[in-house]
């Protein structure tokens, strides 16, 4: 008798989207936060399924290190020997079992059905067997089983528990003065709110807050910040027409500190030397236009033409001049500006909670690779500032190699520059002993932004040998 034909597998739509997201990240080096919205629109998932797809996709990417440690104990070969699509299915299944409230039978059966559709019947049986082994313990149980390997390595254990590469945990610990408990606290913050900025002169914060919907709140630090409780910020008219933007409150504070710091003498020429994609430039332009007469004029510069175009879109007409140029070989004369902002290219370790795959892409070598550019940009910014002018150096990274080390090296080489205590201009508590400031997700609810403020002391830049 001929056995009945098995119907074609029909994976759950939410899990199919999550799987396609993981494949896009792995195969094309795609950014999850850019790929997922398109997938959700294309598949037309209802709100509940879209939320599940987001949780599973982002969660499996973020927790990859911990999931792989568990899976290693459940697979009879090295994970590196598994086909990448199979490994992604296993990660999705393990995430459901270890980090969600989905019942075990539902998580396993739905993942096996996904495996049948994308991998075939043979490997679906392997997925079923592996996930049954994963389900033998909950996450706490698995961490207890794995703990002996980290008995003499507290940094490595934090990396296992919070799913971070060891070198990043070590960098955060160093930036926090060696405090392991506080390092654990910052690593645990992995579900950030969306922050909005009410751009000065274009919309008031109260108006933006009223439009933001139930649960939205005023940011505690920036007078222009609104924190969303949920939902799509792109659905707000003020976001669509540019009166407001999506911008972390820490990023807002960095721009505000550069604009607010006390400055003697003229204050009409401002430079944003690394302006793309335009959030800080738009805020600075609004602040510049609102200053007492005469208002300040902003020059916003980015080396990449496409990023310069993004900056131009973020600024209202006549709010500032935007050019595509390399700030390390400036076209302007030395001493041309009163205030300069350098939002230097960096590893972005301070915003990893917003980019689930980024923690696994960055490498320690990236810090050393970026440092010469960061020093060059800061040095060029100091040359661009007039005597008495101010330069703000900002990175979205707390790594000492991108923050205090860069500023310290530039100060060591120059005799015409001094550090200024940025804390009075920032107006936020618990940012460190000064003169620099370090924001933290677990302290301030912001990305881990670093802000330093420097002042030119003389007419001629002097560089020590």
């Amino acid at each position: 008798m001929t056995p009945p034909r098995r119907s074609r597998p029909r994976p759950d739509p939410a899990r199919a989207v999550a799987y396609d997201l993981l494949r896009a990240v792995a195969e094309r080096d795609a950014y999850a936060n850019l790929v997922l919205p398109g997938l959700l629109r294309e598949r037309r998932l209802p709100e509940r399924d879209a939320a599940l797809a987001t949780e599973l996709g982002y969660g499996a990417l973020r927790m990859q290190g911990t999931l792989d440690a568990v899976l290693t104990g459940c697979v009879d070969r090295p994970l590196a020997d598994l086909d990448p699509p199979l490994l992604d299915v296993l990660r999705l299944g393990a995430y459901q079992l270890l980090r969600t409230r989905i019942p075990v039978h539902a998580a396993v059966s739905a993942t096996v059905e996904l495996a049948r559709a994308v991998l075939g019947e043979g490997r679906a049986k392997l997925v079923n067997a592996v996930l049954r082994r994963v389900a033998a313990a909950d996450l706490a149980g698995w961490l207890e089983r794995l703990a002996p390997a980290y008995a003499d390595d507290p940094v490595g254990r934090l990396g296992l528990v919070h799913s971070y590469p060891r070198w990043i945990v070590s960098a955060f610990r160093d930036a926090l003065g060696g405090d392991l408990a506080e390092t654990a606290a910052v690593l645990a913050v992995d579900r950030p709110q969306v922050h909005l900025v009410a751009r000065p002169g274009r919309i008031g914060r109260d108006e933006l807050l009223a439009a933001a919907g139930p649960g939205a709140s005023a940011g505690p630090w920036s007078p222009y910040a609104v924190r969303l409780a949920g939902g799509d910020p792109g659905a707000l008219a003020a976001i669509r027409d540019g009166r407001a933007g999506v911008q972390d409150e820490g990023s807002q504070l960095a721009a505000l500190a550069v604009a607010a710091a006390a400055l003697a003498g003229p204050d009409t020429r401002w430079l944003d030397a690394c302006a793309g994609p335009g959030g800080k430039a738009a805020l600075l332009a609004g602040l510049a236009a609102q200053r007492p007469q005469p208002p300040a004029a902003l020059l916003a510069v980015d080396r990449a033409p496409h990023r310069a175009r993004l900056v131009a879109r973020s600024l209202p007409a006549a709010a500032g001049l935007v050019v595509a140029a390399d700030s390390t070989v400036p076209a302007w004369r030395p001493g041309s500006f009163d205030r300069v902002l350098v939002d230097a290219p960096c590893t972005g370790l301070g915003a990893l909670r917003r980019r689930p795959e980024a923690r696994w892409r960055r490498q320690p070598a990236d810090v050393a690779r970026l440092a010469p550019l960061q020093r060059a940009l800061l040095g060029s910014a100091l040359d661009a500032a007039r005597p008495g002018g101010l330069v703000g150096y900002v990175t979205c990274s707390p790594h000492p190699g991108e923050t205090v080390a860069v500023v310290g090296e530039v100060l060591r080489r120059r005799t015409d520059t001094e550090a200024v205590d940025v804390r009075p201009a920032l107006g936020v508590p618990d940012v460190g002993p000064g003169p620099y400031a370090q924001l933290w997700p677990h302290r301030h609810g912001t990305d881990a932004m670093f802000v330093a403020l420097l002042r030119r002391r003389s007419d001629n830049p002097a560089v020590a040998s």
Side-chain angles (χ1 to χ4, degrees):
M1 179 176 178
T2 303
R5 176 181 293 179
R6 185 180 180 87
S7 61
R8 183 177 179 181
R10 298 187 64 181
D12 169 76
R15 290 171 176 83
V17 166
Y19 171 78
D20 288 342
L21 176 65
L22 266 61
R23 290 282 73 226
V25 169
E27 291 179 334
R28 307 197 308 268
D29 275 344
Y31 294 98
N33 65 322
L34 300 181
V35 171
L36 182 60
L39 286 173
L40 295 178
R41 286 193 298 269
E42 175 189 319
R43 310 291 172 84
R44 298 182 180 180
L45 264 61
E47 184 176 349
R48 185 173 180 178
D49 284 350
L52 178 59
T54 302
E55 169 68 17
L56 298 185
Y58 280 8
L61 289 169
R62 185 183 298 115
M63 291 294 296
Q64 177 180 311
T66 305
L67 298 176
D68 284 2
V70 172
L71 289 169
T72 295
C74 299
V75 179
D76 60 1
R77 70 194 80 165
L79 295 190
D81 292 346
L82 298 179
D83 289 339
L86 170 59
L87 183 54
D88 278 342
V89 170
L90 289 173
R91 287 167 175 161
L92 281 172
Y95 182 81
Q96 293 169 69
L97 292 169
L98 300 176
R99 286 298 298 263
T100 75
R101 296 180 179 178
I102 298 171
V104 169
H105 70 277
V108 172
S109 62
T111 307
V112 169
E113 191 70 6
L114 171 67
R116 288 194 180 104
V118 300
L119 303 173
E121 184 65 33
R123 286 190 288 181
K125 293 178 180 178
L126 173 62
V127 169
N128 182 64
V130 171
L131 293 185
R132 295 292 178 187
R133 295 172 198 149
V134 173
D138 61 11
L139 180 57
W142 274 109
L143 292 176
E144 186 175 350
R145 291 187 189 186
L146 296 167
Y150 299 90
D152 299 317
D153 184 11
V155 169
R157 177 166 172 76
L158 285 179
L160 170 70
V161 171
H162 299 287
S163 200
Y164 271 88
R166 190 185 190 286
W167 73 273
I168 295 180
V169 178
S170 182
F172 282 22
R173 178 200 59 185
D174 292 346
L176 288 163
D179 189 325
L180 284 173
E182 194 168 13
T183 303
V186 69
L187 296 175
V189 181
D190 63 0
R191 297 181 182 274
Q193 287 180 284
V194 173
H195 296 180
L196 309 181
V197 58
R199 290 173 173 158
R202 302 169 73 178
I203 189 173
R205 179 166 70 172
D206 289 346
E207 181 182 352
L208 180 61
L209 183 59
S217 59
W221 316 117
S222 165
Y224 305 100
V226 170
R227 299 186 176 188
L228 293 185
D232 178 13
L236 298 176
I239 298 292
R240 294 196 302 271
D241 63 26
R243 291 175 295 145
V246 177
Q247 185 178 17
D248 180 77
E249 191 169 2
S251 174
Q252 298 175 43
L253 289 169
L256 290 169
V258 174
L263 176 66
D267 191 13
T268 60
R269 298 167 298 176
W270 294 6
L271 171 66
D272 185 344
C274 304
K280 294 182 182 69
L283 182 52
L284 286 174
L287 296 170
Q290 291 189 330
R291 296 180 75 83
Q293 293 297 322
L298 175 69
L299 173 62
V301 178
D302 200 276
R303 180 177 181 177
H306 74 280
R307 288 172 63 86
R309 288 192 291 272
L310 291 174
V311 177
R313 289 190 205 129
S314 73
L315 301 183
L321 178 63
V322 181
V323 297
D326 185 347
S327 291
T328 64
V329 285
W332 46 85
R333 290 178 295 179
S336 294
F337 297 96
D338 305 305
R339 298 180 190 265
V340 183
L341 170 63
V342 181
D343 183 11
C346 69
T347 58
L349 300 186
L352 292 179
R353 61 195 186 127
R354 300 191 185 277
R355 299 168 187 146
E357 76 286 346
R359 67 187 69 180
W360 308 112
R361 287 182 172 171
R362 288 301 189 190
Q363 300 297 325
D366 295 333
V367 177
R369 176 180 58 84
L370 287 165
L373 175 60
Q374 292 162 349
R375 292 193 297 266
L377 285 165
L378 180 52
S380 180
L382 288 164
D383 292 343
R386 65 165 173 83
L390 294 171
V391 173
Y393 174 79
V394 176
T395 66
C396 189
S397 170
H399 194 297
E402 301 189 89
T403 59
V404 292
V406 169
V407 177
E409 179 65 15
V410 171
L411 285 173
R412 188 185 70 80
R413 290 174 177 269
R414 300 185 69 112
T415 61
D416 67 330
T417 304
E418 62 183 354
V420 177
D421 193 340
V422 72
R423 293 173 298 171
L426 199 65
V428 177
D430 205 18
V431 294
Y436 315 130
Q438 180 66 64
L439 299 167
W440 289 103
H442 66 298
R443 294 182 186 174
H444 308 104
T446 68
D447 290 344
M449 303 292 298
F450 172 83
V451 189
L453 197 61
L454 308 178
R455 178 185 288 116
R456 280 283 309 280
R457 280 197 306 231
S458 66
D459 282 314
N460 299 313
V463 179
S465 60

